[in-house]
Amino acid sequence: RGQRLPYDALLVATGGWANPLQCQGVQGCRHIYNFVTLDDTKTIIERMLESRTALAFGGSFISYELCDGFAARKLDTTWLMRGPYWLRNCLDFQGGEVVDNIAKKFGVEVIHGDEIESVVPKNGVPGYVKTKKGREIQTDMIGVGLGITLNTSILANTPINVRHGVVVNEYLETNVPGVYAAGDIAEFYDMTVNEHHTMGTWDNALAHGRIAAINMAGGHQPYLDVPTYTSPLFDVNIAVVGTAESNNPELQSISLREPGEKGNENYRKLFFRDNKLVGVLMIGSPKGRKKLVDIVKNQQPLETAVEREAVLTLK
Ligand SMILES: Cc1cc2nc3c(=O)[nH]c(=O)nc-3n(C[C@H](O)[C@H](O)[C@H](O)COP(=O)(O)OP(=O)(O)OC[C@H]3O[C@@H](n4cnc5c(N)ncnc54)[C@H](O)[C@@H]3O)c2cc1C
């Protein structure tokens, strides 16, 4: 509205917005859903009640939550993802297979390495989708989890440094003194791995908020935290601690796959940098998670392979 609002310190915490499905056939076609708000959830549930088939598209958390929801309501569910396995930036083939097996136990058909080329509507709702590899998948509804686009456009004509996110130092301050960023939008300097990155979790957003507030009020406190993320994954749990990045050449990883409960498997992957544990990914049993978080927090050196293997089986 053209108002001018003075500030001593300014926080940018505009987060991101879910990327929509963009392909031939989506225009004017109902029952293609992103999954962000409570209203989205209500609408998706309404449509599930009148559907027989559903397609979840995407290779990360939102798509599996949609897939889990579809399968829990006994829809004939297909889970389609572009990558070679789920969560390809954190997992590997073995971990991906563990997740696939859990999904298959719930009747989900999992398809990797393919993507939607077009939606073929019938009377304004999905009839089926065609994939790039020539599949035709019948579906009454489509749920998409295709990542987010960070809301950085308000900074377009400012001197504030924006790369993927808004670049901030360890005090969460941008290159313009007095302007801070926090949460999903912040490309922050992570002192545990000595590099900038973004992280899209509540835990991270909350911890950023606290530190940014302290520094905006005149404090001088660096952000040094180990964000954690836990979530149900069908009938097991997944936990991600710290920096769990398979595609980061600076990190080394070891993993363990073993029989778990309810006919599932447990999968644990540890990420090290310079012999220090910096990230953990656990699927299945959460036993040992707190101890692992402490090891990441304490930056305890694990010099030998034997020490690192011992952490892999810590309960
Ligand atoms: C379906 C779903 C499930 C999730 N589940 C989990 C989970 O289980 N665990 C977990 O850790 N994380 C989860 N997340 C991620 C988590 O929600 C985000 O990491 C967290 O909300 C980030 O907080 P934020 O404050 O940085 O940004 P946001 O929560 O995105 O808030 C940004 C706010 O800024 C507003 N805004 C944007 N642009 C402007 C503008 N120009 N002017 C004014 N206001 C603006 C937006 O409207 C919004 O209110 C989930 C996300 C989704 C979508």
Side-chain angles (χ1 to χ4, degrees):
R1 292 190 218 143
Q3 291 180 69
R4 293 175 83 89
L5 304 173
Y7 65 81
D8 294 317
L10 174 71
L11 178 70
V12 182
T14 45
W17 199 250
N19 296 323
L21 178 63
Q22 288 178 317
C23 65
Q24 195 188 330
V26 297
Q27 208 70 32
C29 181
R30 291 178 296 131
H31 307 314
I32 300 175
Y33 301 100
N34 283 109
F35 181 34
V36 180
T37 64
L38 183 59
D39 284 344
D40 290 340
T41 312
K42 289 177 179 164
T43 321
I44 290 169
I45 290 172
E46 262 174 40
R47 179 60 179 166
M48 282 201 270
L49 295 175
E50 56 188 25
S51 296
R52 197 183 55 76
T53 52
L55 173 69
F57 180 38
S60 191
F61 287 99
I62 298 300
S63 63
Y64 98 69
E65 286 185 357
L66 286 163
C67 184
D68 189 354
F70 296 153
R73 287 185 186 249
K74 308 278 183 242
L75 301 188
D76 193 345
T77 304
T78 306
W79 188 6
L80 177 69
M81 61 189 90
R82 285 179 291 206
Y85 41 81
W86 183 66
L87 220 57
R88 68 169 148 181
N89 293 335
C90 301
L91 280 178
D92 48 35
F93 177 76
Q94 293 288 332
E97 199 174 59
V98 169
V99 176
D100 283 0
N101 289 341
I102 300 168
K104 285 176 190 167
K105 200 178 84 174
F106 285 83
V108 174
E109 186 187 356
V110 188
I111 301 171
H112 303 278
D114 202 358
E115 58 189 290
I116 297 177
E117 185 174 69
S118 63
V119 176
V120 182
K122 194 176 168 193
N123 302 325
V125 302
Y128 62 96
V129 303
K130 280 188 182 168
T131 72
K132 287 215 164 143
K133 290 194 174 160
R135 292 181 171 92
E136 291 187 354
I137 304 169
Q138 301 294 320
T139 188
D140 297 325
M141 60 190 299
I142 302 169
V144 296
L146 298 173
I148 60 172
T149 298
L150 297 175
N151 296 318
T152 56
S153 58
I154 49 163
L155 302 176
N157 296 315
T158 72
I160 293 168
N161 189 8
V162 177
R163 283 194 298 239
H164 170 58
V166 180
V167 182
V168 291
N169 61 19
E170 62 269 44
Y171 302 99
L172 302 178
E173 192 172 24
T174 67
N175 58 314
V176 174
V179 180
Y180 294 77
D184 283 11
I185 194 89
E187 188 171 332
F188 63 100
Y189 185 72
D190 186 338
M191 293 168 74
T192 59
V193 284
N194 297 325
E195 60 186 36
H196 279 85
H197 62 164
T198 54
M199 191 169 287
T201 67
W202 290 325
D203 204 23
N204 183 63
L206 199 67
H208 273 186
R210 284 202 190 99
I211 296 296
I214 289 168
N215 294 336
M216 290 169 76
H220 195 59
Q221 198 166 309
Y223 174 75
L224 180 56
D225 198 16
V226 177
T228 59
Y229 179 102
T230 51
S231 172
L233 176 70
F234 296 97
D235 61 347
V236 299
N237 280 296
I238 177 164
V240 185
V241 177
T243 306
E245 298 173 346
S246 296
N247 52 1
N248 186 335
E250 304 286 320
L251 307 185
Q252 305 83 45
S253 63
I254 52 175
S255 59
L256 177 70
R257 179 177 178 178
E258 59 181 6
E261 291 168 4
K262 302 179 216 164
N264 298 318
E265 291 170 285
N266 292 331
Y267 183 78
R268 184 181 285 192
K269 186 163 182 160
L270 305 180
F271 299 81
F272 296 90
R273 184 181 172 126
D274 301 333
N275 292 337
K276 288 181 183 160
L277 185 66
V278 294
V280 177
L281 192 144
M282 298 169 78
I283 296 168
S285 169
K287 279 182 194 153
R289 192 183 72 90
K290 283 200 175 121
K291 289 179 190 162
L292 289 166
V293 173
D294 285 342
I295 295 173
V296 178
K297 277 190 176 156
N298 299 338
Q299 292 282 285
Q300 177 186 326
L302 298 158
E303 304 289 359
T304 65
V306 175
E307 282 177 286
R308 293 195 286 275
E309 293 290 334
V311 174
L312 200 52
T313 52
L314 197 67
K315 299 275 188 264

